[in-house]
Amino acid sequence: MSTQVADASLSLQAALRDVAAEVDRQFDHLLAVPADPRARLYEAMRHAAIGGGKRLRPLLTFATAQLFAVDRICAARAATAIECIHVYSLIHDDLPAMDDDDMRRGKPTVHKAFDEATAILAGDCLHALAFEILADPATHADPFVRNELIADLARASGPSGMAGGQMMDLMAEGQSFDLATVTRCQALKTGALIACSVEAGAILGRVPPEGRTGLRGYARDIGLAFQIADDILDVEGDQDAVGKQLRKDEAAGKETFLTLLGLDRAREQARLLVNQSIAHLHSYGPEADLLRAIARFVLERDR
Amino acid sequence: MSTQVADASLSLQAALRDVAAEVDRQFDHLLAVPADPRARLYEAMRHAAIGGGKRLRPLLTFATAQLFAVDRICAARAATAIECIHVYSLIHDDLPAMDDDDMRRGKPTVHKAFDEATAILAGDCLHALAFEILADPATHADPFVRNELIADLARASGPSGMAGGQMMDLMAEGQSFDLATVTRCQALKTGALIACSVEAGAILGRVPPEGRTGLRGYARDIGLAFQIADDILDVEGDQDAVGKQLRKDEAAGKETFLTLLGLDRAREQARLLVNQSIAHLHSYGPEADLLRAIARFVLERDR
């Protein structure tokens, strides 16, 4: 391993740690438990939001924001808002009526640790909280910037984004989706929020839409590579390391990148996408090394 | 009945009809069904959102907005965003894990007409859609106004508002809440969004916060009167007219305004609140007659 790669990997680990600590700090502050009957609701939100996950989306927002010298508090708040949406989607996705999962991030899922009604409400609250955070002037003094963050996150998480993709994913059981449909499904289900995480950094940096082409290409490619890697992890991963039940797609008879491409071609495709995502960053210098390291991490992660 | 009251009541009926038609038109446009596997999700949202309900919240936004000569399209979009939040909360509230209701607005609930997973996602999508609508410049050209609408709606619907109140309501079963706790629970569960509906009209009218005191008092009082009337309807109402299952609070052994005050005092309290809400409008002339008529309607409605 060259020194440069070793350094990038060291600083990626440090960045992952820093961002995870920062997001936990934000959640701890935002989710202070009130002394009234809503305490259980806040405990459920804390259970889901604090101390778990790779925090890939917040890291993408931080890494993009640092390209444009964005204030760290602004980046932290926007990143936390996006993570609110991610966490709410995990809570609802894990419900018995959806994927019916008992474990998430190595802990019992919210409906297991609490109950279904509390899980539904905790998800709904984190959903609202995301927009409350973004609409607050503390996130950015300029209301145009706050508005663009909100519009982008609402689009990425709603029926034309994440939730639309989850619906397609539900419909995938028992139907034989082709590669184009699986790609579109995943572009919505996980790609949209990953793209939004990168876009948020650029919005905070006041980069106009026409200046975001490279970053958008980067985000689209790592989003897809992330999902292919996820499909591979689902088949080859270690359940304890991943922290959730694996091999469920196979049991449900769902088409995935793996069933459609086979393991070797899927792995090759993910590698190509990661290279391509890094190529999109050609106009940036060493300040984009963290984004490059994240792209490689997407492929090599074991959880 | 005096001519004046008859006129007010006639124009209330006309306003209710107009606003219902306008909100349906907005939803029909926003929820055009796509030709892909998400079609079912959109059908579910349409089932819940179109052609039902009193549209009390949108009417409040319209009636307040007209005090300040707000553009009708702006008012329609803000009102529809707030109704998105109300409809999403009904969908999630009706789920088996929550209130487990089969009928809503005279139709099968979404999880009955579709399935639970679709109902959860349809609620989540309407939730995101609310903020997508408000963040769109078509709702208001000034980003400060859009931001204030968003901040207010996120607060009113999240853990310090509607969803927090729903959690308190869940906790109410089997506990004996006192009048202060029931009042606080209802102020969050239904009051916060009703208050937000009035506030949105004032925000669109660029009324500064210090100029909203009267309107806030009006909204707080009709919100509470609305809930007392709801408790009375739950016991005395006709199930077919109301369009949902009644007498569930009693079965669950929950304390309500009715169990705590008795029917006569509850009715008297609601009447006092309605008079008080109208008194808060003393600085407005006939332009606030619709808001006054709404206050009386809250008490007299049969559904």
Side-chain angles (χ1 to χ4, degrees), chain B residues 9 56 78 87 95 101 142 153 168 177 183 187 211 249 277 301:
Chain B
S9 150
L56 173 68
V87 175
L95 286 166
D101 275 308
D142 184 340
L153 185 58
M168 287 185 75
F177 279 3
T183 304
D249 285 344
S277 77
R301 69 202 171 91

Side-chain angles (χ1 to χ4, degrees), chain A residues 38 92 124 127 143 147 159, chain B residues 38 92 124 127 143 146-147 159:
Chain A
R38 296 171 303 144
H92 283 187
D124 290 342
H127 194 168
N147 247 286
Chain B
R38 295 172 303 145
H92 282 187
D124 290 343
H127 195 168
R146 300 203 297 276
N147 250 287

Side-chain angles (χ1 to χ4, degrees), chain A residues 1-13 293 296:
Chain A
M1 202 190 274
S2 75
T3 320
Q4 205 195 340
V5 172
D7 280 349
S9 150
L10 267 179
S11 50
L12 173 68
Q13 292 309 319
R296 285 185 290 266

Side-chain angles (χ1 to χ4, degrees), chain B residues 135-151:
Chain B
D136 191 314
T139 299
H140 201 283
D142 184 340
F144 275 105
V145 169
R146 300 203 297 276
N147 250 287
E148 204 180 345
L149 291 171
I150 291 163

Side-chain angles (χ1 to χ4, degrees), chain B residues 79-94:
Chain B
T80 303
I82 293 170
E83 190 70 1
C84 279
I85 295 289
H86 179 54
V87 175
Y88 116 65
S89 80
L90 298 180
I91 299 175
H92 282 187
D93 233 19
D94 288 338

